[in-house]
C-alpha cells in the first residue's frame, strides 16, 4: 500500500511539473518527489539493517530477491539526478554540486547533446547573495561580486542599485537553485577538503519549461548514464544479507564506490577504498554501498 501511495505522488509530481510547477522539487508540502521517496527509503533501510542482523527478513518470501534488485536499480537512477535537483531537507545546506574529482570522473560518462550550446550570458545581471531569497528557479553560477558600498546602499533606499560591471570572476560550479528558497553557500573543493563559502549567485538560465504543457525539443534526447551490458540470464536472485555492505561514519570504506545514507537516499558520497566515511549533516550515520 505504501509503495502504491508513493507511486501516486510520483504521478502527481509529473502532472504538476507538466504544467510548469517547479515546487514539486522542494522539500515542503509541495514536494511530491520527496514524499514519493519515503517507501524506498524505508525498504532501503530495512535491507541494510537485515544485512547487519538488526532485523530479520524472511529469505523465502516470494519475489523478495527481485524486489531488492528493482529497488537498487531505482536507487541507481535516483542517485544520478536527485541529489542535484531535489531540495535538501536541511535548508541551510550548501549547494549540492561541487566541481572536483567525483564530477570530473562522471562527466565523461554522461550523455549530452552535440554540439553543446554556449553558456548563456544574460544582461543585465540578476544577482542574489547567500542567504537572500531566490526570485525564481533556474541555473545560477557563483561569482565574486563586490559588496555595495555604504553610499550605494543608502542611495538604494530611494533608487534601484545598479548591478556591478562584468565580467565577474567565477568562484564555483553552477547549480540548479529553487525559487522561493534562500540562496545557499557554494561548495568549493580544495586539495584537502570541501568547504562552503558565501557567494553571489548570478542567473544563467531561468527555468520556465513545461508551462505550455510541452517538453522542450532539446530534452527529448535526454538519457541516463549508459547501463552496464546485460548479463546472461540466470535464476532469480535470492536475498542474502551478505549482498549489502554497510559501514558507519568514521569507518574506513572497505571498497571504493558510491555510498548512500541508510535513512536518507538524498545523502550520497563517492569515496575511495580506505577513505573515512564522513558525518552527514553533522551527525554519525550508517552508509550503505550502492555502486562500485
Amino acid at each position: 500500500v505504501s509503495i502504491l501511495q508513493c507511486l501516486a505522488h510520483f504521478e502527481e509530481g509529473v502532472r504538476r511539473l507538466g504544467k510548469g510547477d517547479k515546487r514539486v522539487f522542494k522539500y515542503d508540502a509541495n514536494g511530491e518527489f520527496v514524499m514519493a521517496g519515503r517507501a524506498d527509503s524505508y525498504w532501503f533501510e530495512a535491507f541494510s539493517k537485515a544485512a547487519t542482523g538488526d532485523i530479520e527478513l524472511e529469505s523465502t518470501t516470494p519475489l523478495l530477491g527481485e524486489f531488492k534488485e528493482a529497488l537498487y536499480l531505482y536507487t541507481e537512477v535516483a542517485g544520478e539526478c536527485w541529489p542535484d535537483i531535489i531540495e535538501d531537507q536541511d535548508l541551510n545546506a550548501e549547494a549540492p554540486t561541487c566541481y572536483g574529482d567525483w564530477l570530473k570522473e562522471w562527466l565523461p560518462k554522461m550523455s549530452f547533446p552535440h554540439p553543446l550550446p554556449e553558456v548563456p550570458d544574460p544582461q543585465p545581471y540578476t544577482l542574489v547573495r547567500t542567504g537572500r531569497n531566490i526570485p525564481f528557479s533556474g541555473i545560477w553560477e557563483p561569482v565574486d561580486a563586490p559588496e555595495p558600498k555604504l553610499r550605494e546602499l543608502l542611495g538604494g533606499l530611494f533608487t534601484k542599485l545598479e548591478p556591478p560591471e562584468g565580467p565577474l570572476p567565477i568562484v564555483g560550479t553552477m547549480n540548479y537553485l529553487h525559487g522561493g528558497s534562500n540562496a545557499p553557500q557554494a561548495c568549493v573543493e580544495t586539495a584537502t577538503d570541501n568547504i562552503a563559502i558565501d557567494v553571489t549567485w548570478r542567473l544563467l538560465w531561468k527555468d520556465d519549461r513545461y508551462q505550455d504543457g510541452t517538453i522542450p525539443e532539446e530534452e527529448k534526447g535526454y538519457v541516463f548514464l549508459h547501463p552496464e551490458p546485460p548479463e546472461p540470464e540466470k535464476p532469480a536472485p535470492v536475498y542474502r544479507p551478505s549482498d549489502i555492505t554497510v559501514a558507519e561514519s568514521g569507518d574506513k570504506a572497505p571498497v571504493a564506490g558510491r555510498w548512500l545514507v541508510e535513512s536518507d537516499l538524498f545523502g550520497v558520497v563517492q569515496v575511495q577504498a580506505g577513505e573515512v566515511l564522513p558525518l552527514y549533516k553533522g551527525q554519525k550515520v550508517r552508509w550503505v554501498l550502492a555502486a562500485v
Side-chain angles (χ1 to χ4, degrees), residues 81-118:
C81 53
W82 280 30
D84 295 304
I85 298 297
I86 305 298
E87 188 172 63
D88 197 284
Q89 180 178 8
D90 180 5
L91 299 183
N92 293 317
E94 66 269 17
T97 305
C98 183
Y99 186 71
D101 292 340
W102 183 88
L103 193 59
K104 284 187 282 188
E105 175 188 351
W106 283 95
L107 278 176
K109 302 177 183 179
M110 298 179 183
S111 297
F112 298 99
H114 183 75
L116 277 173
E118 294 293 329

Side-chain angles (χ1 to χ4, degrees), residues 44-276:
F44 194 89
E45 183 175 359
F47 278 121
S48 62
K49 286 184 176 180
T52 57
D54 293 344
I55 63 173
E56 181 178 351
L57 290 178
E58 180 56 58
S59 61
T60 59
T61 300
L63 302 181
L64 184 62
E66 289 86 344
F67 175 74
K68 185 178 79 95
E69 293 294 323
L71 176 67
Y72 274 77
L73 287 174
Y74 163 73
T75 57
E76 280 293 294
V77 173
E80 289 183 31
C81 53
W82 280 30
D84 295 304
I85 298 297
I86 305 298
E87 188 172 63
D88 197 284
Q89 180 178 8
D90 180 5
L91 299 183
N92 293 317
E94 66 269 17
T97 305
C98 183
Y99 186 71
D101 292 340
W102 183 88
L103 193 59
K104 284 187 282 188
E105 175 188 351
W106 283 95
L107 278 176
K109 302 177 183 179
M110 298 179 183
S111 297
F112 298 99
H114 183 75
L116 277 173
E118 294 293 329
V119 176
D121 184 24
Q123 300 286 342
Y125 297 151
T126 300
L127 303 174
V128 178
R129 297 185 184 278
T130 294
R132 302 292 181 87
N133 188 265
I134 302 167
F136 35 73
S137 298
I139 296 179
W140 299 71
E141 183 175 60
V143 297
D144 183 12
E147 292 280 356
K149 298 178 181 178
L150 178 60
R151 182 183 303 173
E152 295 173 344
L153 291 174
L154 293 176
L157 296 175
F158 308 100
T159 61
K160 183 180 179 180
L161 289 176
E162 292 295 326
E165 295 183 1
L168 301 176
I170 300 171
V171 296
T173 306
M174 61 182 72
N175 272 262
Y176 187 100
L177 303 183
H178 298 275
S181 298
N182 289 338
Q185 294 181 306
C187 175
V188 178
E189 184 178 85
T190 68
T192 58
D193 198 6
N194 287 356
I195 60 174
I197 59 173
D198 290 344
V199 296
T200 297
W201 293 93
R202 175 197 171 204
L203 177 68
L204 295 179
W205 174 74
K206 181 180 178 181
D207 189 356
D208 55 5
R209 297 171 297 168
Y210 320 127
Q211 292 179 356
D212 59 354
T214 61
I215 298 176
E217 186 66 31
E218 64 271 17
E219 291 190 13
K220 293 181 179 179
Y222 278 9
V223 296
F224 288 101
L225 295 180
H226 293 295
E228 296 294 329
E231 297 181 358
E233 291 189 9
K234 55 185 178 181
V238 177
Y239 168 69
R240 299 186 301 274
S242 59
D243 290 340
I244 301 176
T245 303
V246 181
E248 294 187 349
S249 298
D251 294 343
K252 292 184 178 179
V255 294
R258 185 188 293 131
W259 292 73
L260 305 178
V261 176
E262 176 186 73
S263 58
D264 184 353
L265 294 185
F266 298 119
V268 181
V269 66
Q270 182 82 15
V271 298
Q272 300 298 319
E275 288 187 22
V276 175

